[in-house]
Coordinates of all heavy atoms in Angstrom, one line a residue:
M6 N 81.3 199.2 171.3 CA 81.7 198.0 170.6 C 83.2 197.9 170.6 O 84.0 198.8 170.4 CB 81.3 198.2 169.2 CG 81.4 197.0 168.4 SD 80.4 197.2 167.0 CE 81.1 196.1 165.9
M7 N 83.7 196.7 171.0 CA 85.1 196.4 171.1 C 85.8 196.1 169.8 O 85.2 195.2 169.1 CB 85.3 195.3 172.1 CG 86.7 195.2 172.6 SD 86.7 194.0 173.9 CE 88.1 193.1 173.7
R8 N 86.8 196.7 169.4 CA 87.5 196.5 168.2 C 88.5 195.3 168.4 O 89.2 195.3 169.4 CB 88.4 197.6 167.8 CG 87.5 198.6 167.0 CD 88.4 199.8 166.5 NE 89.6 199.3 165.8 CZ 90.6 200.1 165.6 NH1 90.7 201.3 166.2 NH2 91.7 199.6 165.0
P9 N 88.5 194.4 167.4 CA 89.5 193.2 167.6 C 90.9 193.8 167.3 O 91.1 194.6 166.6 CB 89.1 192.2 166.5 CG 88.3 193.0 165.6 CD 87.7 194.1 166.3
R10 N 91.8 193.3 168.2 CA 93.3 193.7 168.1 C 94.0 192.7 167.3 O 93.7 191.5 167.3 CB 93.9 193.9 169.4 CG 93.3 195.1 170.2 CD 93.9 195.3 171.6 NE 95.1 194.5 171.7 CZ 96.1 194.8 172.6 NH1 96.0 195.9 173.3 NH2 97.2 194.1 172.7
L11 N 95.0 193.2 166.6 CA 95.8 192.3 165.8 C 96.8 191.5 166.8 O 97.1 192.0 167.8 CB 96.7 193.1 164.8 CG 96.1 193.7 163.7 CD1 97.0 194.5 162.9 CD2 95.4 192.6 162.8
S12 N 97.1 190.3 166.4 CA 98.0 189.5 167.2 C 99.4 189.8 166.9 O 99.9 189.8 165.7 CB 97.7 188.0 166.9 OG 98.7 187.2 167.4
R13 N 100.1 190.3 167.9 CA 101.5 190.6 167.8 C 102.4 189.4 167.4 O 103.3 189.4 166.5 CB 102.2 191.3 169.0 CG 101.6 192.7 169.2 CD 102.3 193.3 170.4 NE 101.6 194.5 170.8 CZ 101.8 195.1 171.9 NH1 102.6 194.6 172.8 NH2 101.1 196.2 172.1
I14 N 102.0 188.2 168.0 CA 102.8 187.1 167.8 C 102.4 186.6 166.3 O 103.3 186.2 165.6 CB 102.5 186.0 168.8 CG1 102.9 186.4 170.2 CG2 103.1 184.6 168.4 CD1 102.3 185.5 171.3
G15 N 101.2 186.6 166.0 CA 100.8 186.2 164.6 C 101.4 187.1 163.6 O 101.9 186.6 162.5
L16 N 101.4 188.4 163.8 CA 102.2 189.3 162.8 C 103.6 189.0 162.8 O 104.2 189.0 161.7 CB 102.0 190.8 163.3 CG 100.6 191.4 163.0 CD1 100.5 192.7 163.5 CD2 100.3 191.4 161.5
A17 N 104.2 188.7 163.9 CA 105.7 188.4 163.9 C 105.9 187.1 163.1 O 106.9 187.0 162.3 CB 106.2 188.2 165.4
F18 N 105.1 186.1 163.3 CA 105.2 184.8 162.5 C 105.0 185.1 161.1 O 105.8 184.6 160.2 CB 104.2 183.8 162.9 CG 104.5 183.1 164.2 CD1 105.7 183.4 165.0 CD2 103.7 182.1 164.8 CE1 105.9 182.7 166.2 CE2 103.9 181.5 166.0 CZ 105.1 181.8 166.7
G19 N 104.0 185.9 160.7 CA 103.8 186.2 159.3 C 104.9 187.0 158.7 O 105.3 186.7 157.5
L20 N 105.4 188.0 159.4 CA 106.5 188.9 158.9 C 107.8 188.0 158.7 O 108.6 188.2 157.8 CB 106.7 190.1 159.8 CG 105.6 191.1 159.7 CD1 105.9 192.2 160.7 CD2 105.5 191.6 158.3
A21 N 108.0 187.1 159.7 CA 109.2 186.3 159.5 C 109.1 185.4 158.3 O 110.1 185.2 157.5 CB 109.4 185.3 160.8
Y22 N 107.9 184.8 158.0 CA 107.7 184.0 156.9 C 107.8 184.9 155.6 O 108.6 184.4 154.6 CB 106.3 183.3 156.9 CG 106.1 182.4 155.7 CD1 106.8 181.2 155.5 CD2 105.2 182.8 154.7 CE1 106.6 180.4 154.4 CE2 104.9 182.0 153.6 CZ 105.7 180.8 153.4 OH 105.4 180.0 152.4
L23 N 107.3 186.1 155.5 CA 107.5 187.0 154.4 C 108.9 187.3 154.2 O 109.4 187.4 153.0 CB 106.6 188.2 154.6 CG 105.1 188.1 154.4 CD1 104.4 189.3 154.7 CD2 104.9 187.6 152.9
A24 N 109.7 187.5 155.2 CA 111.0 187.8 155.1 C 111.8 186.6 154.5 O 112.7 186.8 153.6 CB 111.7 188.2 156.5
L25 N 111.5 185.4 155.0 CA 112.1 184.2 154.3 C 111.7 184.2 152.9 O 112.6 183.8 152.1 CB 111.6 183.0 155.2 CG 112.0 181.7 154.5 CD1 113.5 181.5 154.7 CD2 111.3 180.5 155.2
V26 N 110.5 184.3 152.6 CA 110.1 184.2 151.2 C 110.8 185.4 150.3 O 111.4 185.0 149.3 CB 108.6 184.5 151.0 CG1 108.1 184.7 149.6 CG2 107.8 183.2 151.6
G27 N 110.9 186.5 150.8 CA 111.6 187.6 150.1 C 113.1 187.2 149.9 O 113.6 187.5 148.8
L28 N 113.7 186.8 150.9 CA 115.1 186.4 150.8 C 115.4 185.3 149.8 O 116.3 185.4 149.0 CB 115.6 186.0 152.3 CG 117.1 185.7 152.3 CD1 118.0 186.8 151.9 CD2 117.4 185.0 153.7
C29 N 114.5 184.3 149.8 CA 114.6 183.2 148.9 C 114.4 183.6 147.5 O 115.1 183.1 146.6 CB 113.7 182.0 149.3 SG 114.3 181.2 150.8
V30 N 113.3 184.4 147.3 CA 113.1 185.0 145.9 C 114.3 185.8 145.4 O 114.8 185.6 144.3 CB 111.7 185.7 145.8 CG1 111.6 186.4 144.5 CG2 110.6 184.8 146.1
W31 N 114.8 186.6 146.2 CA 116.0 187.4 145.9 C 117.1 186.5 145.5 O 117.8 186.8 144.5 CB 116.3 188.4 147.1 CG 117.6 189.1 146.9 CD1 117.7 190.3 146.2 CD2 118.8 188.8 147.4 NE1 119.0 190.7 146.2 CE2 119.8 189.8 146.9 CE3 119.4 187.7 148.1 CZ2 121.1 189.8 147.2 CZ3 120.7 187.7 148.4 CH2 121.6 188.7 148.0
A32 N 117.4 185.5 146.4 CA 118.5 184.6 146.1 C 118.3 183.8 144.8 O 119.2 183.6 144.1 CB 118.7 183.7 147.3
S33 N 117.1 183.5 144.5 CA 116.7 182.8 143.3 C 117.0 183.6 142.1 O 117.5 183.1 141.0 CB 115.2 182.3 143.3 OG 114.9 181.8 142.1
V34 N 116.6 184.9 142.2 CA 116.9 185.8 141.0 C 118.3 186.0 140.8 O 118.8 185.9 139.6 CB 116.2 187.2 141.3 CG1 116.6 188.2 140.3 CG2 114.7 187.0 141.2
H35 N 119.1 186.1 141.8 CA 120.6 186.2 141.7 C 121.3 185.0 141.3 O 122.2 185.0 140.4 CB 121.2 186.8 143.0 CG 120.9 188.2 143.2 ND1 121.6 189.1 142.5 CD2 119.9 188.8 143.9 CE1 121.1 190.4 142.8 NE2 120.1 190.1 143.7
A36 N 120.7 183.8 141.6 CA 121.3 182.5 141.2 C 121.0 182.4 139.7 O 121.9 181.9 138.9 CB 120.7 181.4 142.0
D37 N 119.7 182.7 139.3 CA 119.4 182.6 137.9 C 120.2 183.5 137.0 O 120.6 183.1 136.0 CB 117.9 182.9 137.7 CG 117.3 182.5 136.4 OD1 117.7 181.4 135.8 OD2 116.5 183.2 135.8
A38 N 120.4 184.7 137.5 CA 121.3 185.6 136.7 C 122.7 185.2 136.6 O 123.4 185.5 135.6 CB 121.3 187.1 137.4
A39 N 123.2 184.4 137.6 CA 124.5 183.9 137.5 C 124.6 182.5 136.8 O 125.6 181.9 136.5 CB 125.0 183.6 138.9
G40 N 123.4 182.2 136.1 CA 123.4 181.0 135.3 C 123.1 179.7 136.0 O 123.3 178.6 135.5
D41 N 122.8 179.8 137.3 CA 122.6 178.5 138.1 C 121.0 178.3 138.2 O 120.4 178.7 139.1 CB 123.2 178.8 139.5 CG 123.1 177.6 140.4 OD1 122.7 176.5 140.0 OD2 123.4 177.7 141.6
Q42 N 120.6 177.6 137.2 CA 119.1 177.3 137.3 C 118.7 176.3 138.4 O 117.6 176.5 139.0 CB 118.6 176.7 136.0 CG 118.5 177.8 134.8 CD 119.8 178.0 134.2 OE1 120.7 177.3 134.2 NE2 119.9 179.3 133.7
K43 N 119.5 175.5 138.7 CA 119.2 174.5 139.8 C 119.2 175.3 141.2 O 118.3 175.0 142.0 CB 120.3 173.4 140.0 CG 120.2 172.3 139.0 CD 121.1 171.1 139.3 CE 120.9 170.0 138.4 NZ 121.9 168.9 138.6
G44 N 120.1 176.2 141.4 CA 120.1 177.0 142.6 C 118.9 177.9 142.6 O 118.3 178.1 143.7
A45 N 118.5 178.4 141.5 CA 117.3 179.3 141.5 C 116.0 178.5 141.9 O 115.2 178.9 142.6 CB 117.1 179.9 140.1
F46 N 116.0 177.2 141.3 CA 114.9 176.3 141.6 C 114.8 176.0 143.1 O 113.8 176.0 143.8 CB 115.0 175.0 140.9 CG 113.9 174.0 141.1 CD1 112.7 174.1 140.6 CD2 114.2 172.9 142.0 CE1 111.7 173.2 140.9 CE2 113.3 172.0 142.3 CZ 112.0 172.1 141.8
V47 N 116.0 175.7 143.6 CA 116.0 175.3 145.1 C 115.6 176.5 146.0 O 114.8 176.4 146.9 CB 117.4 174.8 145.5 CG1 117.6 174.8 147.0 CG2 117.7 173.5 144.9
F48 N 116.1 177.7 145.7 CA 115.7 178.9 146.5 C 114.2 179.2 146.4 O 113.6 179.6 147.3 CB 116.5 180.1 146.1 CG 117.9 180.1 146.7 CD1 119.0 180.1 146.0 CD2 118.0 180.1 148.1 CE1 120.3 180.1 146.5 CE2 119.3 180.1 148.7 CZ 120.4 180.1 147.8
L49 N 113.6 179.0 145.1 CA 112.2 179.2 145.1 C 111.3 178.2 145.8 O 110.3 178.3 146.3 CB 111.7 179.1 143.6 CG 112.0 180.5 142.8 CD1 111.7 180.3 141.4 CD2 111.3 181.7 143.4
Q50 N 111.9 177.0 145.9 CA 111.3 175.8 146.6 C 111.3 176.0 148.1 O 110.3 175.4 148.7 CB 111.9 174.5 146.0 CG 111.4 173.3 146.6 CD 112.2 172.1 146.1 OE1 112.7 172.1 145.0 NE2 112.2 171.0 146.9
L51 N 112.3 176.5 148.6 CA 112.5 176.5 150.1 C 111.3 176.9 150.9 O 111.0 176.2 151.9 CB 113.7 177.3 150.5 CG 115.1 176.6 150.2 CD1 116.3 177.5 150.5 CD2 115.2 175.3 151.1
P52 N 110.7 178.1 150.6 CA 109.6 178.5 151.6 C 108.4 177.7 151.4 O 107.5 177.7 152.3 CB 109.3 179.9 151.1 CG 110.5 180.4 150.3 CD 111.1 179.1 149.7
L53 N 108.3 176.8 150.3 CA 107.0 176.1 150.2 C 107.3 174.5 150.4 O 106.3 173.8 150.3 CB 106.5 176.3 148.7 CG 106.2 177.7 148.3 CD1 105.8 177.7 146.8 CD2 105.1 178.2 149.2
A54 N 108.5 174.1 150.5 CA 108.8 172.7 150.6 C 108.0 171.9 151.6 O 107.5 170.9 151.4 CB 110.3 172.5 150.7
P55 N 108.0 172.3 152.8 CA 107.3 171.6 153.9 C 105.8 171.4 153.5 O 105.2 170.3 153.7 CB 107.5 172.3 155.2 CG 108.7 173.3 154.9 CD 108.6 173.5 153.5
Q56 N 105.2 172.5 153.1 CA 103.7 172.5 152.8 C 103.5 171.6 151.6 O 102.6 170.8 151.5 CB 103.2 173.9 152.5 CG 103.4 174.9 153.6 CD 104.8 175.6 153.4 OE1 105.8 175.1 153.5 NE2 104.6 176.9 153.3
L57 N 104.4 171.7 150.5 CA 104.2 170.8 149.3 C 104.4 169.4 149.7 O 103.7 168.5 149.2 CB 105.2 171.3 148.3 CG 104.9 172.7 147.7 CD1 106.1 173.0 146.7 CD2 103.6 172.7 147.0
A58 N 105.3 169.0 150.6 CA 105.5 167.7 151.0 C 104.2 167.2 151.7 O 103.8 166.0 151.5 CB 106.8 167.5 151.9
A59 N 103.7 168.0 152.6 CA 102.5 167.6 153.3 C 101.3 167.3 152.4 O 100.5 166.4 152.4 CB 102.1 168.6 154.4
L60 N 101.2 168.3 151.4 CA 100.1 168.2 150.4 C 100.3 166.9 149.5 O 99.4 166.2 149.1 CB 100.0 169.4 149.6 CG 99.5 170.6 150.3 CD1 99.6 171.9 149.4 CD2 98.0 170.5 150.8
D61 N 101.6 166.6 149.2 CA 101.9 165.4 148.4 C 101.5 164.2 149.2 O 101.0 163.2 148.7 CB 103.4 165.5 148.0 CG 103.7 164.3 147.1 OD1 102.9 164.0 146.1 OD2 104.7 163.6 147.3
G62 N 101.8 164.2 150.5 CA 101.5 163.1 151.4 C 100.0 162.9 151.4 O 99.5 161.7 151.7
L63 N 99.1 164.0 151.2 CA 97.8 163.8 151.2 C 97.2 163.3 149.9 O 96.0 163.3 149.6 CB 97.1 165.1 151.6 CG 97.3 165.6 153.0 CD1 96.8 167.0 153.3 CD2 96.7 164.6 154.0
G64 N 98.1 163.1 148.9 CA 97.7 162.7 147.6 C 97.5 163.7 146.5 O 96.9 163.5 145.5
L65 N 97.9 165.0 146.9 CA 97.6 166.1 146.0 C 98.8 166.4 145.0 O 98.9 167.4 144.4 CB 97.2 167.3 146.8 CG 95.9 167.3 147.5 CD1 95.7 168.5 148.4 CD2 94.8 167.1 146.5
G66 N 99.8 165.5 145.1 CA 101.0 165.6 144.2 C 100.7 165.9 142.7 O 101.3 166.8 142.2
P67 N 99.8 165.1 142.1 CA 99.6 165.3 140.7 C 98.9 166.7 140.4 O 99.2 167.3 139.4 CB 98.6 164.2 140.3 CG 98.8 163.1 141.4 CD 99.2 163.8 142.6
V68 N 98.1 167.2 141.3 CA 97.5 168.5 141.1 C 98.7 169.6 141.2 O 98.6 170.6 140.4 CB 96.5 168.8 142.2 CG1 95.9 170.2 142.1 CG2 95.4 167.8 142.0
L69 N 99.6 169.4 142.0 CA 100.7 170.4 142.3 C 101.7 170.3 141.2 O 102.5 171.3 141.1 CB 101.2 170.2 143.6 CG 100.3 170.3 144.9 CD1 101.0 169.8 146.1 CD2 99.8 171.7 145.0
A70 N 101.9 169.2 140.6 CA 103.0 169.0 139.6 C 103.0 170.0 138.5 O 104.2 170.4 138.1 CB 102.9 167.5 139.0
G71 N 102.0 170.4 138.0 CA 102.0 171.3 136.8 C 101.9 172.8 137.3 O 101.7 173.7 136.4
M72 N 101.9 173.1 138.6 CA 101.7 174.4 139.1 C 102.9 175.3 138.9 O 104.0 174.9 139.1 CB 101.3 174.3 140.6 CG 100.7 175.6 141.1 SD 100.2 175.4 142.8 CE 98.7 174.4 142.7
S73 N 102.7 176.5 138.4 CA 103.8 177.5 138.2 C 104.2 178.0 139.6 O 103.4 177.9 140.6 CB 103.3 178.6 137.4 OG 102.3 179.4 138.0
W74 N 105.3 178.7 139.7 CA 105.9 179.2 141.0 C 104.8 180.3 141.5 O 104.5 180.3 142.6 CB 107.2 179.7 140.9 CG 108.3 178.6 140.8 CD1 109.0 178.3 139.9 CD2 108.5 177.8 141.9 NE1 109.8 177.2 140.2 CE2 109.5 176.8 141.5 CE3 108.0 177.6 143.2 CZ2 110.0 175.8 142.3 CZ3 108.5 176.6 144.0 CH2 109.5 175.7 143.5
P75 N 104.4 181.3 140.6 CA 103.4 182.2 141.2 C 102.2 181.6 141.7 O 101.7 182.0 142.7 CB 103.2 183.1 140.0 CG 104.4 183.0 139.1 CD 104.9 181.6 139.3
A76 N 101.7 180.5 141.0 CA 100.5 179.8 141.5 C 100.8 179.1 142.8 O 99.9 179.1 143.7 CB 100.0 178.9 140.4
G77 N 101.9 178.5 142.9 CA 102.4 177.9 144.1 C 102.4 178.8 145.3 O 101.8 178.5 146.4
Y78 N 103.0 179.9 145.1 CA 103.1 181.0 146.2 C 101.7 181.5 146.6 O 101.3 181.7 147.7 CB 104.0 182.1 145.8 CG 105.4 181.7 146.2 CD1 106.2 181.2 145.2 CD2 105.9 182.0 147.4 CE1 107.6 180.9 145.4 CE2 107.3 181.6 147.7 CZ 108.0 181.1 146.7 OH 109.3 180.8 147.0
L79 N 100.8 181.6 145.5 CA 99.4 182.0 145.7 C 98.6 181.0 146.5 O 98.0 181.3 147.4 CB 98.8 182.5 144.4 CG 97.3 183.0 144.5 CD1 97.3 184.4 145.3 CD2 96.8 183.2 143.2
F80 N 98.6 179.8 146.0 CA 97.7 178.8 146.5 C 98.3 178.0 147.8 O 97.6 177.3 148.5 CB 97.3 177.8 145.5 CG 96.5 178.3 144.4 CD1 96.9 178.5 143.1 CD2 95.2 178.9 144.7 CE1 96.1 179.1 142.2 CE2 94.4 179.4 143.8 CZ 94.9 179.6 142.5
V81 N 99.6 178.1 148.0 CA 100.2 177.4 149.1 C 100.8 178.5 150.1 O 100.6 178.4 151.3 CB 101.3 176.4 148.7 CG1 102.0 175.8 149.9 CG2 100.7 175.3 147.7
G82 N 101.5 179.4 149.6 CA 102.2 180.5 150.4 C 101.2 181.3 151.2 O 101.4 181.6 152.4
V83 N 100.2 181.8 150.5 CA 99.2 182.7 151.2 C 98.5 182.0 152.3 O 98.3 182.5 153.4 CB 98.2 183.4 150.1 CG1 97.2 184.1 150.8 CG2 99.1 184.3 149.2
P84 N 98.0 180.8 152.1 CA 97.3 180.0 153.2 C 98.3 179.8 154.3 O 97.9 179.8 155.5 CB 96.8 178.8 152.6 CG 96.6 179.1 151.2 CD 97.7 180.1 150.8
T85 N 99.6 179.5 154.0 CA 100.6 179.4 155.0 C 100.7 180.6 155.9 O 100.8 180.5 157.0 CB 101.9 179.0 154.4 OG1 101.8 177.8 153.7 CG2 103.0 178.9 155.4
L86 N 100.7 181.7 155.2 CA 100.7 183.0 155.9 C 99.5 183.2 156.9 O 99.7 183.6 158.1 CB 100.7 184.2 154.9 CG 101.2 185.6 155.3 CD1 102.6 185.5 155.8 CD2 101.2 186.4 154.1
G87 N 98.3 182.8 156.4 CA 97.2 182.8 157.3 C 97.3 181.8 158.5 O 96.9 182.2 159.6
L88 N 97.8 180.6 158.2 CA 97.9 179.7 159.2 C 98.9 180.1 160.3 O 98.7 179.9 161.5 CB 98.3 178.3 158.7 CG 97.2 177.6 157.9 CD1 97.7 176.3 157.3 CD2 96.0 177.2 158.9
L89 N 100.0 180.7 159.8 CA 101.0 181.2 160.8 C 100.5 182.3 161.6 O 100.7 182.4 162.8 CB 102.3 181.7 160.0 CG 103.1 180.6 159.5 CD1 104.2 181.2 158.5 CD2 103.8 179.8 160.6
Y90 N 99.6 183.2 161.0 CA 99.0 184.3 161.9 C 98.0 183.7 162.9 O 98.1 183.9 164.1 CB 98.3 185.2 161.0 CG 97.5 186.3 161.8 CD1 98.2 187.4 162.2 CD2 96.2 186.1 162.2 CE1 97.7 188.4 163.0 CE2 95.6 187.1 163.1 CZ 96.4 188.2 163.4 OH 95.8 189.2 164.2
L91 N 97.3 182.6 162.4 CA 96.3 181.9 163.3 C 97.1 181.3 164.4 O 96.7 181.3 165.6 CB 95.5 181.0 162.6 CG 94.5 180.1 163.4 CD1 93.5 181.0 164.0 CD2 93.8 179.1 162.6
L92 N 98.2 180.6 164.2 CA 99.0 179.9 165.2 C 99.5 181.0 166.2 O 99.4 180.7 167.5 CB 100.2 179.3 164.6 CG 101.2 178.6 165.5 CD1 100.5 177.5 166.3 CD2 102.4 178.1 164.8
G93 N 99.9 182.1 165.7 CA 100.4 183.1 166.6 C 99.3 183.7 167.5 O 99.5 184.0 168.7
W94 N 98.1 183.8 166.9 CA 97.0 184.3 167.7 C 96.6 183.3 168.7 O 96.3 183.8 169.8 CB 95.7 184.5 166.6 CG 94.5 185.0 167.3 CD1 94.3 186.3 167.7 CD2 93.4 184.2 167.6 NE1 93.0 186.4 168.2 CE2 92.5 185.1 168.3 CE3 93.1 182.9 167.6 CZ2 91.2 184.7 168.7 CZ3 91.9 182.4 168.0 CH2 91.0 183.3 168.7
L95 N 96.6 182.1 168.4 CA 96.3 181.1 169.4 C 97.3 181.0 170.6 O 96.9 180.9 171.7 CB 96.1 179.7 168.7 CG 95.0 179.4 167.8 CD1 95.2 178.1 167.0 CD2 93.7 179.4 168.6
L96 N 98.6 181.1 170.1 CA 99.6 181.2 171.3 C 99.4 182.4 172.1 O 99.6 182.3 173.3 CB 101.0 181.2 170.6 CG 101.5 179.9 170.0 CD1 102.8 180.1 169.3 CD2 101.6 178.9 171.0
G97 N 99.2 183.5 171.5 CA 98.9 184.7 172.3 C 97.7 184.6 173.3 O 97.7 184.9 174.4
R98 N 96.6 183.9 172.8 CA 95.4 183.6 173.6 C 95.8 182.7 174.8 O 95.3 182.9 175.9 CB 94.2 183.1 172.8 CG 93.7 183.9 171.7 CD 92.6 184.8 172.2 NE 91.6 184.1 172.9 CZ 90.4 184.5 173.0 NH1 90.0 185.7 172.5 NH2 89.5 183.8 173.7
A99 N 96.5 181.7 174.4 CA 97.0 180.7 175.5 C 97.8 181.4 176.5 O 97.7 181.2 177.6 CB 97.7 179.6 174.8
A100 N 98.7 182.2 176.1 CA 99.6 182.9 177.0 C 98.7 183.9 177.9 O 99.0 183.9 179.2 CB 100.6 183.8 176.3
K101 N 97.7 184.5 177.4 CA 96.8 185.4 178.2 C 96.1 184.5 179.2 O 95.9 184.9 180.4 CB 95.9 186.2 177.3 CG 96.5 187.4 176.6 CD 95.4 188.1 175.8 CE 96.1 189.2 175.0 NZ 95.1 189.9 174.2
A102 N 95.6 183.4 178.8 CA 94.9 182.4 179.7 C 95.8 182.0 180.8 O 95.4 181.9 182.0 CB 94.3 181.3 178.9
V103 N 97.0 181.7 180.5 CA 97.9 181.2 181.5 C 98.3 182.4 182.5 O 98.3 182.1 183.8 CB 99.3 180.7 180.9 CG1 100.4 180.5 181.9 CG2 99.0 179.4 180.2
R104 N 98.4 183.6 182.0 CA 98.7 184.7 182.9 C 97.6 185.1 183.9 O 97.7 185.5 185.0 CB 98.9 186.0 182.1 CG 100.5 186.0 181.7 CD 100.8 187.3 180.9 NE 100.9 187.0 179.5 CZ 100.4 187.8 178.6 NH1 100.0 188.9 178.8 NH2 100.4 187.4 177.4
R105 N 96.3 184.9 183.4 CA 95.1 185.1 184.1 C 94.9 184.0 185.3 O 94.3 184.3 186.3 CB 93.8 185.1 183.3 CG 93.7 186.3 182.5 CD 92.4 186.3 181.8 NE 92.5 187.2 180.6 CZ 91.9 187.0 179.4 NH1 91.2 185.9 179.2 NH2 92.1 187.9 178.4
A106 N 95.4 182.9 185.0 CA 95.1 181.7 186.0 C 96.1 181.8 187.2 O 96.9 182.5 187.3 CB 95.4 180.4 185.3

């Protein structure tokens, strides 16, 4: 039985996103400690902004409006991580198909 292998490209995309999230959360904590609540908000928003804009465009803005940051990262960030892995997996498959042709 053949074991499925992890996608290196998918893992790279996912790890890059996690690094961005970690950096933004760290910056947000430090901005908040310095008394800059607007800066803290902006840094927390950065990793989720494109996805939230897309969801707002689909009419889900009112549902997202009352969501806390942890819930936002859970319900928007985690699926983003999965989609980035899937994108990397698809790119890896396409690259293998091109090499075989």
Side-chain angles (χ1 to χ4, degrees):
M6 185 163 159
M7 194 168 141
R8 279 183 48 203
R10 290 180 16 153
L11 289 176
S12 165
R13 289 182 190 167
I14 299 170
L16 285 175
F18 284 0
L20 289 174
Y22 182 70
L23 284 176
L25 173 69
V26 168
L28 181 65
C29 287
V30 169
W31 174 83
S33 173
V34 168
H35 285 281
D37 193 39
D41 183 11
Q42 283 81 27
K43 281 187 179 181
F46 175 81
V47 168
F48 280 119
L49 281 176
Q50 179 182 331
L51 280 175
L53 301 178
Q56 303 90 300
L57 292 174
L60 291 171
D61 187 45
L63 293 173
L65 295 173
V68 174
L69 302 170
M72 195 176 287
S73 68
W74 284 114
Y78 276 93
L79 180 66
F80 293 115
V81 178
V83 172
T85 298
L86 202 56
L88 288 173
L89 287 171
Y90 180 83
L91 178 63
L92 177 64
W94 180 81
L95 289 171
L96 287 173
R98 296 276 303 205
K101 283 182 185 177
V103 167
R104 277 185 257 145
R105 286 185 201 142

